[in-house]
Amino acid sequence: EPEVTQTPSHQVTQMGQEVILRCVPISNHLYFYWYRQILGQKVEFLVSFYNNEISEKSEIFDDQFSVERPDGSNFTLKIRSTKLEDSAMYFCASSEALLGLAGGDEQFFGPGTRLTVL
Amino acid sequence: GENVEQHPSTLSVQEGDSAVIKCTYSDSASNYFPWYKQELGKGPQLIIDIRSNVGEKKDQRIAVTLNKTAKHFSLHITETQPEDSAVYFCAASRRGSTLGRLYFGRGTQLTVWP
């Protein structure tokens, strides 16, 4: 069964460093998302991406964050200058469609990347 | 924005018993409600979802009910098995205007004792 994959599974970085989290969405999917979960808190939406541009972003997704689809398979989240409060589990998700009335818009999640900022 | 509340935060049941997890939402425009199961070390897996044009949906031992008037929806697992032990998340979304964004509840840690 096709699945979303993410690398690395765990990333440790120093405050102020740049990190890139990588995702490979399901191959025929067109819509891509990043969410994060700070320990003990809700899973929070960061950004959605379609047709090589951001569709929607949350208030969390400020100028230090960026997303890119550098090729036909990868989808990346870059954090330019990490802060302690960026420590979280980051999930990538993808869906085939967006407005499916009878399905096709379900979001499938990857296993996550645990980011630890020291 | 949407706010989803989920209860209980932990739930322990004996194998074979039923488990019920409840969620409420605040935005009456939300019309899509998925449930995810997260096992240790894995990402959330979609197990069932319901859209606002139906009140109930069932898939084998799992069922979800939706009450649009009261703005709440519930997950029912019957004949629980130890492998049902996981964290369950409810979510809500407004298909048609916001572009797929999911709002999650805090999660319920379900433990099924053999």
Side-chain angles (χ1 to χ4, degrees), chain B residues 6-13 20-21 86-87 107-111:
Chain B
Q6 182 172 348
H7 300 280
S9 56
T10 61
L11 180 60
S12 292
V13 299
V20 180
I21 302 170
V87 179
T108 296
Q109 173 70 62
L110 173 65
T111 303

Side-chain angles (χ1 to χ4, degrees), chain B residues 85-106:
Chain B
S85 296
V87 179
Y88 290 81
F89 293 98
C90 63
S93 179
R94 187 161 42 137
R95 291 298 191 252
S97 47
T98 54
L99 300 177
R101 174 177 185 168
L102 292 174
Y103 294 84
F104 281 86
R106 284 191 179 274

Side-chain angles (χ1 to χ4, degrees), chain B residues 6 9 15 21-22 26 38 43-44 50 54 57-58 61 64 71 96-97 105 108 113-114:
Chain B
Q6 182 172 348
S9 56
E15 183 177 2
I21 302 170
K22 299 183 179 181
S26 61
Q38 187 177 23
I50 190 167
V54 298
K57 184 176 177 181
K58 194 171 182 180
R61 296 186 297 108
V64 58
K71 294 204 284 284
S97 47
T108 296
W113 299 101

Side-chain angles (χ1 to χ4, degrees), chain B residues 51-66:
Chain B
R51 297 169 198 271
S52 60
N53 57 344
V54 298
E56 184 173 358
K57 184 176 177 181
K58 194 171 182 180
D59 183 4
Q60 299 183 340
R61 296 186 297 108
I62 295 174
V64 58
T65 59
L66 171 65

